Amino acid sequence: GSINKQKFVLVDVEKTYERIIAKGYESVEIYESLGNYYYENNNFLKSKLYFDKLFGKYSLSQISSKSKERYQLIRKSIY
């Protein structure tokens, strides 16, 4: 039904973002979207990968409070 279609669209967005990053383009929105996408899909290693880049490259004032909370949780659970 429509739920599957929606999920497919989401996955496609992530593939698109990953292609954009592979071409050397990056932004707060891209890293945040990927970090949160993988977090919501319980892929915490991949989520941490993108959150690491997000928090390493951008100032905290540019990053949403949701991403900050999730990043802290991931860092506590993955060593």
Side-chain angles (χ1 to χ4, degrees):
S2 60
I3 295 170
N4 288 344
K5 192 176 171 195
Q6 191 179 3
K7 194 168 177 67
F8 176 76
V9 170
L10 272 178
V11 169
D12 208 39
V13 167
E14 303 317 312
K15 282 183 182 166
T16 303
Y17 277 150
E18 291 190 327
R19 275 203 294 271
I20 291 169
I21 290 170
K23 289 179 180 172
Y25 181 80
E26 52 193 25
S27 73
V28 171
E29 291 78 19
I30 290 174
Y31 285 137
E32 253 195 316
S33 295
L34 286 167
N36 283 303
Y37 170 80
Y38 286 117
Y39 184 94
E40 286 158 14
N41 285 275
N42 296 317
N43 188 339
F44 300 121
L45 282 173
K46 263 205 143 169
S47 178
K48 184 177 184 296
L49 174 77
Y50 290 111
F51 278 147
D52 281 344
K53 293 185 181 198
L54 174 69
F55 286 86
K57 290 173 186 279
Y58 302 98
S59 65
L60 290 175
S61 61
Q62 293 174 277
I63 299 167
S64 74
S65 54
K66 179 173 79 171
S67 294
K68 290 175 196 170
E69 286 168 23
R70 289 177 166 183
Y71 188 47
Q72 283 182 322
L73 288 170
I74 289 171
R75 288 169 72 191
K76 283 179 193 164
S77 60
I78 297 175
Y79 303 102

